[in-house]
Amino acid sequence: IDTGGGAYIGGNVSLGGGSFIARDQINYASPSNELQAQFEEVIKQIRELTNIDSLDREDMEVAVREVEKEVAKGKELDENFLARRLRNIGRIAPDILEVVLATITSPAAGLGVVAKKIAERARTGAA
């Protein structure tokens, strides 16, 4: 039996909850999952803010969710929409803006130069 380099098993196999690797094993973290986890951390930080009122916290959470959704579009994102949301976040809580900017400029976001350009405009607009 020619398997092309893969494994051949002529009978039953019980893994007992483990993994069977027939040839190459490639493990990677999904960028979307990593990015989602980073945004969840931002939301958690927003919910823990005590120096702003509850309406501002809700507005920021909505804005961050919108940023997350827009960033998920990758290179198809609307830069102006994203910049407006970031400016709104920066007006309410500049420290949270910095966390969001770090998130969207991370390798997990995969936006590269676009994110850096938007981040710089948001920093300037929030100042």
Side-chain angles (χ1 to χ4, degrees):
I1 296 175
D2 182 9
T3 64
Y8 170 77
I9 298 174
N12 294 331
V13 174
S14 175
L15 297 178
S19 299
F20 177 78
I21 302 162
R23 187 169 172 175
D24 298 330
Q25 179 178 7
I26 301 171
N27 296 318
Y28 64 93
S30 168
S32 61
N33 289 342
E34 185 178 331
L35 194 59
Q36 185 178 13
Q38 290 174 344
F39 274 107
E40 287 303 319
E41 182 59 34
V42 174
I43 295 297
K44 180 181 171 199
Q45 290 179 24
I46 290 169
R47 290 177 180 163
E48 293 173 354
L49 289 175
T50 58
N51 59 338
I52 61 173
D53 65 47
S54 62
L55 278 176
D56 282 341
R57 270 197 308 276
E58 287 177 35
D59 289 347
M60 282 185 35
E61 188 170 335
V62 168
V64 168
R65 292 287 182 205
E66 289 174 341
V67 167
E68 178 181 15
K69 197 183 240 182
E70 198 63 27
V71 167
K73 294 178 182 177
K75 294 181 181 179
E76 307 294 315
L77 65 80
D78 180 339
E79 287 185 39
N80 291 324
F81 176 84
L82 187 57
R84 282 193 304 274
R85 294 304 173 271
L86 294 171
R87 278 194 304 271
N88 289 339
I89 294 167
R91 285 186 193 115
I92 298 169
D95 52 335
I96 295 295
L97 173 64
E98 287 302 317
V99 176
V100 172
L101 293 177
T103 299
I104 68 169
T105 57
S106 74
L111 299 177
V113 175
V114 172
K116 288 181 181 17
K117 183 171 71 170
I118 294 168
E120 191 53 44
R121 282 196 333 217
R123 282 187 183 101
T124 304

